[in-house]
Amino acid sequence: MQTLGQFLEEHPDLRFVFTGGKGGVGKTVSAAVLAYHFARQGKRTLLASLNPVHSLSSLFGQDLSGGQVKPVQGVDGLFAIEVNTEDAVQRYRESVSARIREFLRYADIPVDARPFIDIAMTNPAFEESAMFDKMTDMMLMQSGEYDRIVFDTAAVANAVRLIGLSKIYGLWLGRLIESRKEALSLRVQLSFRKEKVLEEVQRDPMMADLIAMSERFEKVKGLLVDPAVTAFFFVTLPLSLPISVVKRFIEMVRAYDIPVGGVVVNEVITRESLGETPDEYLRNKFAEQGGYLNTIQADLGPLVRAYLPLYPREVVGLKAVEQVAEDMFRPSQDLAAELPA
C-alpha cells in the first residue's frame, strides 16, 4: 500500500488538491487535514470550500465565513475561504447577462434580452457553472500567492457537474467560436463595403471575448488534467453505499481525464477501540465492516492511501485536526492490520 505521505513525496509539484465523496463521509475533514499538513510543511496553503453548505468554520472553531480569504488562527501559512455561492452566482449572472446583451446589440437584433437571460439562468447546472468560474479564477489568479490550494467539493452530484464542466465548457466554447466565425464571414460576404466591414469584423468584441474565455479555459484544463500538479482524493466509509458511490465517482472523474490521487477510508472501528466492550451494536458494526474492508481492498486496493479510525468524538477544533493529521500520515498505517485475512 502506498501511503498518502509516500504519494505526496512522489508528487512534489502538486499544487491543486480536491476531495470528494458521498455526503457525510468526511470530505471536509480530509481536505482540512491535507491543507494543515501542507502548511505545517512550510507551504503557503489555501483551503477553499466549494460546498454550498460550508463547515470549515465549525471544523476549526473559527469564523472563516463571509466569502473572504482569512488566516486560520494557530497554523502559520494556512488560509481558508468559504466561497459565497450567492456572490459567485450573482457575478456569473452579471457576466452572462452582459454577454447576451452584447451579442444581441452587435447582431442588431431588436429584441428584449431579458427572456434570453432568464433561459440562461434556468440552466440546471447554472450554479455549478458559476462555481466552476470561481474555481477557475482561483486556480489562475491565486495560484501565484499560494504553494497549494485544497478544494473541498460538494457532494457527488454537484461535484461531478462541477468537474464535468471542464470538458463541456470547452466543447461549448469551441462551438460558439465556430458559429461566430461563420456569422462574421457571412457578414463580410454579403456586404457592399467589404473592406470597412472586414475591419469591423476583425475588431469584433464578441469574438475577442470568446477567444479570451477559450484561452482561460485551456489554461485551467491543462492544470486539471496534469497529474504532476493536480490530484483528486476520494473519501469513503467502510459501508456499502459510500463504496459504491466512490467507485462510480472515480470512473466519472477519470472520464474527464482528471488524475486520481487516491482513497481515504474513514471511520474504521479498530480492535483496540473495540476492546472488551459488551456493546452488541458496536461489535456487530465491527464484524460488518470486515466484509466492506475486504471489498475496498479488492476493488480499490491500489488506490487506498490512508485509513482513519472512528473517533470517540466529532472532529472539531485545531487539536482534533492535529490528531487526524497524525493518523492520516502515520507511516505504518497500522489500521491496515484490521483488514480481514
Side-chain angles (χ1 to χ4, degrees), residues 68-182:
Q68 302 296 320
V69 174
K70 296 181 179 180
V72 176
Q73 301 301 320
V75 189
D76 291 341
L78 179 57
F79 301 81
I81 177 172
E82 292 183 340
V83 175
N84 189 315
T85 307
E86 289 184 7
D87 283 352
V89 168
Q90 179 58 32
R91 279 197 294 272
Y92 192 63
R93 179 182 289 118
E94 291 169 359
S95 170
V96 170
S97 299
R99 287 192 173 105
I100 290 175
R101 291 182 194 283
E102 178 65 18
F103 175 81
L104 294 177
R105 185 192 68 78
Y106 195 75
D108 288 331
I109 301 176
V111 298
D112 185 354
R114 284 175 295 185
F116 294 91
I117 295 170
D118 290 341
I119 290 171
M121 306 305 166
T122 54
N123 178 342
F126 188 80
E127 187 173 297
E128 284 76 18
S129 298
M131 295 302 278
F132 179 78
D133 202 57
K134 178 66 178 177
M135 184 186 81
T136 298
D137 276 348
M138 296 176 78
M139 291 181 72
L140 294 181
M141 299 170 68
Q142 293 188 289
S143 61
E145 300 177 40
Y146 301 96
D147 301 309
R148 303 284 186 274
I149 300 182
V150 180
F151 292 101
D152 173 28
T153 66
V156 173
N158 300 65
V160 166
R161 287 196 291 188
L162 175 74
I163 299 299
L165 286 168
S166 66
K167 196 167 190 174
I168 297 168
Y169 219 56
L171 295 173
W172 176 70
L173 277 172
R175 179 63 62 86
L176 278 181
I177 289 173
E178 287 306 312
S179 297
R180 191 64 181 166
K181 280 181 182 174
E182 289 175 15

Side-chain angles (χ1 to χ4, degrees), residues 43-331:
K43 308 294 184 188
R44 186 177 166 87
T45 303
L46 175 62
L47 171 61
S49 171
L50 301 178
N51 198 326
V53 184
H54 300 297
S55 51
L56 291 183
S57 293
S58 302
L59 174 61
F60 283 103
Q62 305 173 24
D63 181 13
L64 301 170
S65 62
Q68 302 296 320
V69 174
K70 296 181 179 180
V72 176
Q73 301 301 320
V75 189
D76 291 341
L78 179 57
F79 301 81
I81 177 172
E82 292 183 340
V83 175
N84 189 315
T85 307
E86 289 184 7
D87 283 352
V89 168
Q90 179 58 32
R91 279 197 294 272
Y92 192 63
R93 179 182 289 118
E94 291 169 359
S95 170
V96 170
S97 299
R99 287 192 173 105
I100 290 175
R101 291 182 194 283
E102 178 65 18
F103 175 81
L104 294 177
R105 185 192 68 78
Y106 195 75
D108 288 331
I109 301 176
V111 298
D112 185 354
R114 284 175 295 185
F116 294 91
I117 295 170
D118 290 341
I119 290 171
M121 306 305 166
T122 54
N123 178 342
F126 188 80
E127 187 173 297
E128 284 76 18
S129 298
M131 295 302 278
F132 179 78
D133 202 57
K134 178 66 178 177
M135 184 186 81
T136 298
D137 276 348
M138 296 176 78
M139 291 181 72
L140 294 181
M141 299 170 68
Q142 293 188 289
S143 61
E145 300 177 40
Y146 301 96
D147 301 309
R148 303 284 186 274
I149 300 182
V150 180
F151 292 101
D152 173 28
T153 66
V156 173
N158 300 65
V160 166
R161 287 196 291 188
L162 175 74
I163 299 299
L165 286 168
S166 66
K167 196 167 190 174
I168 297 168
Y169 219 56
L171 295 173
W172 176 70
L173 277 172
R175 179 63 62 86
L176 278 181
I177 289 173
E178 287 306 312
S179 297
R180 191 64 181 166
K181 280 181 182 174
E182 289 175 15
L184 293 175
S185 175
L186 282 173
R187 186 178 177 193
V188 172
Q189 290 176 36
L190 296 174
S191 64
F192 292 106
R193 302 171 63 190
K194 287 189 169 42
E195 288 186 3
K196 183 176 185 302
V197 173
L198 187 59
E199 202 173 294
E200 289 177 7
V201 163
Q202 288 171 343
R203 296 198 304 267
D204 178 39
M206 178 64 71
M207 180 60 89
D209 187 40
L210 289 173
I211 290 174
M213 286 173 64
S214 180
E215 290 175 348
R216 181 168 170 266
F217 163 75
E218 287 298 328
K219 285 181 185 175
V220 167
K221 184 183 174 186
L223 294 173
L224 277 174
V225 301
D226 185 349
V229 300
T230 296
F232 205 118
F233 291 94
F234 300 88
V235 186
T236 187
L237 305 180
L239 292 171
S240 176
L241 288 180
I243 294 170
S244 299
V245 167
V246 161
K247 286 161 63 178
R248 288 200 303 272
F249 203 178
I250 287 174
E251 290 176 7
M252 293 175 189
V253 167
R254 281 178 168 161
Y256 294 117
D257 301 322
I258 294 172
V260 175
V263 174
V264 173
V265 184
N266 193 17
E267 297 189 4
V268 176
I269 302 171
T270 65
R271 292 183 190 281
E272 182 182 358
S273 66
L274 187 70
E276 299 299 324
T277 180
D279 187 322
E280 186 177 358
Y281 173 80
L282 196 57
R283 300 191 75 80
N284 286 340
K285 293 300 290 183
F286 178 74
E288 181 187 53
Q289 80 168 11
Y292 292 128
L293 288 172
N294 258 340
T295 300
I296 290 172
Q297 274 299 104
D299 296 347
L300 302 168
L303 288 175
V304 176
R305 301 281 176 255
Y307 290 94
L308 291 173
L310 173 64
Y311 296 100
R313 296 178 186 80
E314 186 180 6
V315 178
V316 173
L318 197 51
K319 281 196 174 299
V321 171
E322 290 173 355
Q323 178 60 59
V324 180
E326 186 178 320
D327 292 331
M328 187 180 280
F329 287 93
R330 180 184 293 126

